[in-house]
Amino acid sequence: MDETAPQKGTVTQRAIEQIKAFIAEGRLEPGERLPTERDLAVQLGISRSSMREAIRALTVLGVLEARHGSGIYVTQLEAGDLLETFGVVADLSRGPALVELLQVRRILESTATALAAARITPDQLAEVEKHLLAMNATDDPEEILAHDLAFHREIAAAAGNDTMAAILEGLSSRTFRARVWRGYQEEGAFERTRREHAAIHRALVSRDPEAARAAAAAHVGEVEEWLRAQLGV
Amino acid sequence: MDETAPQKGTVTQRAIEQIKAFIAEGRLEPGERLPTERDLAVQLGISRSSMREAIRALTVLGVLEARHGSGIYVTQLEAGDLLETFGVVADLSRGPALVELLQVRRILESTATALAAARITPDQLAEVEKHLLAMNATDDPEEILAHDLAFHREIAAAAGNDTMAAILEGLSSRTFRARVWRGYQEEGAFERTRREHAAIHRALVSRDPEAARAAAAAHVGEVEEWLRAQLGV
DNA sequence: CCGTCAAGGTGGTCGGACCACTACGGCCGA
DNA sequence: TCGGCCGTAGTGGTCCGACCACCTTGACGG
């Protein structure tokens, strides 16, 4: 009567939970190398195929990292590693969920911008300014979008909360913004966007958190309202 | 000269991207059934093993759902489906990242509570009250935690943004709160927590968004500050 | 008309084989 | 002695074929 496994769920799912538990309990440190797929499979009493599926699952979640020919390693478990999958949500959401995502972004982005106004360093401010100018100097939509993303990314980084920055990164993922912006900018919103970015920049220069919060909220809110109208909500 | 695949990355990774693209392009509707693993493997020109890894990856991301003996289906792609993995972040984060997560939760929770104060229905309010009373009527930490979670979950639901509610759900995942609360409540914070919950409830009854925002922010902020002190930050 | 049950189809698991790549260490030449 | 080259062992990546567990369907018999 070997009372080892409760036999709940698929073996792969169990393997995923066990490896996660190993990490949560500190038996596997960030950056540490795991045993080989073959050894792990033997240890957990499952086939290599099932073990590979478990590893693949944890890989896409940003928990593990497989290096061909070298081995499997635990990631640093930092915000960027684990929240990378957040972009999938933004990419696959549609309809009302897009508005909800923008609402979340408005809340976080406004707070992040307010924090940045109080904490931003001259170097970081210069970087923000660089993207602001570059954005105004071109008419290529692709380039504008790239600098727009970088503009907000720098601000989020200056807020000093890597987790929040990683979430915002996901909420602003390239395909997500491309989908929304395509329609938004067709209505000649370029000039308005430039004005709003300038307002955010001014608030940062003035180190005025409240002005920064308001400017950022208004900026995202504009897009949010436009999208809401588009969907007829 | 068969110019089909660019041969970048692993075949499994490519399969993941292709299926994701199918869904993003609308070629696969939410709830729709996919071809069998065997057929999909043939269509994409890969082995069933690799295809299974791709499917498993999309399953843990909440994009697909495999039903043994029946087939593979696209989920409804709702907030709850896709943001379930968010709990993994909370479960595996440690140290400073925990404080950052609580900070994000403070921002979202305070806004959600403010929204709830303006929109909550009598039925929902009664539900909130039920958990408030149940929480005060017992001394079992496990039960208190359960009602605490439900208390905030009901409020988040009343805010009317499913996406935000799903994120907050992840940020309050059972193991995450258990880890933090274990230490927090050992310092006799029960009474303080009860007072704070009562304050949130009063603000909801008064339909006072600003009071609700302040009460919720203070509530989460208390834990945040305690954790910050614990980590010596 | 409805419950029963058998068969086919589906995902789940397994084991083994081979390929592609990396890392390491010994070998050879400078 | 030193440094680069290269072979080899070991790793993850891919593929195949088989079998199992489970669900769905529809024919059958009551």
Side-chain angles (χ1 to χ4, degrees), chain B residues 17-74:
Chain B
E17 299 299 333
Q18 291 194 41
I19 295 179
K20 256 178 31 181
F22 277 7
I23 297 175
E25 294 168 9
R27 293 209 262 172
L28 283 175
E29 293 295 323
E32 191 176 340
R33 183 176 180 282
L34 275 71
T36 69
E37 294 179 345
R38 294 161 175 88
D39 288 346
L40 274 175
V42 172
Q43 283 183 32
L44 300 188
I46 65 179
S47 73
R48 191 186 163 206
S49 312
S50 301
M51 178 54 68
R52 274 191 59 78
E53 287 187 24
I55 292 171
R56 171 73 63 177
L58 291 169
T59 297
V60 301
L61 289 179
V63 177
L64 298 182
E65 177 189 357
R67 301 181 203 158
H68 191 166
S70 172
I72 307 166
Y73 302 80
V74 182

Side-chain angles (χ1 to χ4, degrees), chain A residues 10-12 38 45-50 68-70:
Chain A
T10 68
V11 289
T12 303
R38 294 162 174 87
I46 64 179
S47 73
R48 193 188 162 203
S49 311
S50 302
H68 192 168
S70 172

Side-chain angles (χ1 to χ4, degrees), chain A residues 109-130:
Chain A
E109 186 95 39
S110 58
T111 303
T113 308
L115 285 171
R119 311 177 40 133
I120 198 167
T121 66
D123 281 355
Q124 291 172 323
L125 192 56
E127 197 68 20
V128 170
E129 201 166 319
K130 197 187 79 181

Side-chain angles (χ1 to χ4, degrees), chain A residues 84-103:
Chain A
E84 204 164 325
T85 66
F86 204 83
V88 179
V89 182
D91 288 344
L92 294 182
S93 293
R94 53 176 86 180
L98 285 179
V99 177
E100 293 187 353
L101 279 171
L102 269 175
Q103 192 173 359

Side-chain angles (χ1 to χ4, degrees), chain B residues 32 90 104 109 118 145 225 228:
Chain B
E32 191 176 340
V104 172
E109 186 95 38
L145 178 58
E225 283 306 322
R228 206 187 293 269

Side-chain angles (χ1 to χ4, degrees), chain A residues 11-196:
Chain A
V11 289
T12 303
Q13 193 60 38
R14 248 182 297 160
I16 293 175
E17 298 299 332
Q18 291 194 40
I19 296 178
K20 256 177 32 180
F22 277 6
I23 299 174
E25 294 169 8
R27 292 210 262 173
L28 283 175
E29 293 294 323
E32 189 176 340
R33 184 175 179 281
L34 276 70
T36 69
E37 293 179 345
R38 294 162 174 87
D39 288 347
L40 274 176
V42 172
Q43 284 184 30
L44 300 189
I46 64 179
S47 73
R48 193 188 162 203
S49 311
S50 302
M51 178 54 67
R52 273 192 59 78
E53 288 186 24
I55 292 171
R56 172 72 64 176
L58 291 170
T59 297
V60 301
L61 289 179
V63 176
L64 298 183
E65 179 189 355
R67 300 182 204 158
H68 192 168
S70 172
I72 307 166
Y73 302 80
V74 182
T75 68
Q76 293 303 317
L77 298 180
E78 291 171 355
D81 299 323
L82 297 174
L83 289 168
E84 204 164 325
T85 66
F86 204 83
V88 179
V89 182
D91 288 344
L92 294 182
S93 293
R94 53 176 86 180
L98 285 179
V99 177
E100 293 187 353
L101 279 171
L102 269 175
Q103 192 173 359
V104 172
R105 187 183 159 219
R106 173 164 54 84
I107 295 164
L108 292 179
E109 186 95 39
S110 58
T111 303
T113 308
L115 285 171
R119 311 177 40 133
I120 198 167
T121 66
D123 281 355
Q124 291 172 323
L125 192 56
E127 197 68 20
V128 170
E129 201 166 319
K130 197 187 79 181
H131 291 295
L132 176 68
L133 294 175
M135 196 167 20
N136 290 341
T138 179
D139 279 329
D140 177 21
E142 272 303 312
E143 206 170 338
I144 291 180
L145 178 58
H147 285 294
D148 187 354
L149 286 172
F151 177 82
H152 290 291
R153 177 162 37 232
E154 289 292 334
I155 293 175
N161 185 325
D162 291 341
T163 301
M164 193 173 2
I167 295 176
L168 282 172
E169 182 74 22
L171 287 176
S172 309
S173 81
R174 202 165 184 80
T175 74
F176 171 69
R177 300 205 67 177
R179 277 194 297 159
V180 175
W181 275 88
R182 183 176 306 169
Y184 187 56
Q185 61 195 13
E186 275 176 2
E187 305 200 353
F190 279 121
E191 207 45 50
R192 188 197 298 167
T193 299
R194 282 172 176 156
R195 261 186 283 118
E196 290 168 354

